Amino acid sequence: MDGAKGLFLLVSLLSSMLACVLCSRGSILRLETFHQLDNVPTVVKGLDLERYVGRWYEIASLPTFFMPKDGTDTRATYALNKNGTVDVLNETWVNGKRNSIKGIAYKDDPNSDEAKLKLKFYVPPEFPIFPIVGDYWVLYLDADYQYSIVGGPSRKSLFILSRKSHVDDETYKQLVQKAVDEGYDVSNLRKTPQSDTPPQ
Ligand SMILES: *[C@@H]1O[C@H](CO)[C@@H](O)[C@H](O)[C@H]1NC(C)=O
Ligand SMILES: *[C@@H]1O[C@H](CO)[C@@H](O)[C@H](O)[C@H]1NC(C)=O
């Protein structure tokens, strides 16, 4: 081995060692960032599904892939099944035309008292073949079961729901603030247009 080759090898060895130190530092940094994001939102405990089912109006949500972005009068109707699962019907109206998707919700861990549900839908809605399972975590629920905030561990989905199709500004602000307190970025939150008289 001549001198030039040896020096070249030494330099590449040193630079790969340096790169490795940098890459491991990078991954430590990334791990720390990940660890911060890892604190998942707090979840309601002791959810009474019998009281929770029924109709909810979507007051605001973060845009999702599944529901049309320009939907109005968006609502969810839940019905408890005998086996403890919940039938889910989401409806929204686009240019006066009704869009709907059906799914089923069930407790992720039947032994936990946390309101962590899984929500299973089949897509596409018109021809349901591919199952999609998402998280349905109830992050906030008032004592009277009139307002609910639903999200998931990744904080990508957020739904502010109400038993009535309209909420006053003060209540709305408080609900949004609860989502912010749970670590949500609400800059893309869209207030769902709701008619004065909801569709039948
Ligand atoms: C249906 O609406 C609920 C909130 O009301 C939401 O959690 C769920 O992701 C929606 N599912 C679809 C497929 O739109
Ligand atoms: C529970 O009952 C519903 C409605 O009858 C049904 O669609 C669902 O498949 C059942 N799920 C389980 C896990 O038994």
Side-chain angles (χ1 to χ4, degrees), residues 72-90:
T72 66
D73 297 313
T74 309
R75 66 193 186 193
T77 311
Y78 307 133
L80 191 57
N81 292 315
K82 286 205 178 71
N83 60 19
T85 65
V86 175
D87 280 338
V88 174
L89 170 67
N90 283 3

Side-chain angles (χ1 to χ4, degrees), residues 55-60 67-77 89-99 161 164-166 190-200:
R55 178 156 293 165
W56 290 94
Y57 294 93
E58 184 187 282
I59 300 303
M67 294 300 267
K69 282 173 187 51
D70 46 356
T72 66
D73 297 313
T74 309
R75 66 193 186 193
T77 311
L89 170 67
N90 283 3
E91 298 173 284
T92 193
W93 278 260
V94 179
N95 299 324
K97 191 177 166 284
R98 178 178 172 273
N99 289 251
L161 307 175
K164 298 209 170 76
S165 55
H166 294 85
R190 171 184 178 265
K191 218 170 168 172
T192 313
Q194 293 282 349
S195 315
D196 290 336
T197 322
Q200 280 300 296

Side-chain angles (χ1 to χ4, degrees), residues 132-154:
I132 293 187
V133 180
D135 290 290
Y136 185 107
W137 288 12
V138 183
L139 310 180
Y140 169 77
L141 186 63
D142 67 310
D144 296 328
Y145 284 52
Q146 295 300 301
Y147 306 102
S148 170
I149 300 179
V150 174
S154 68

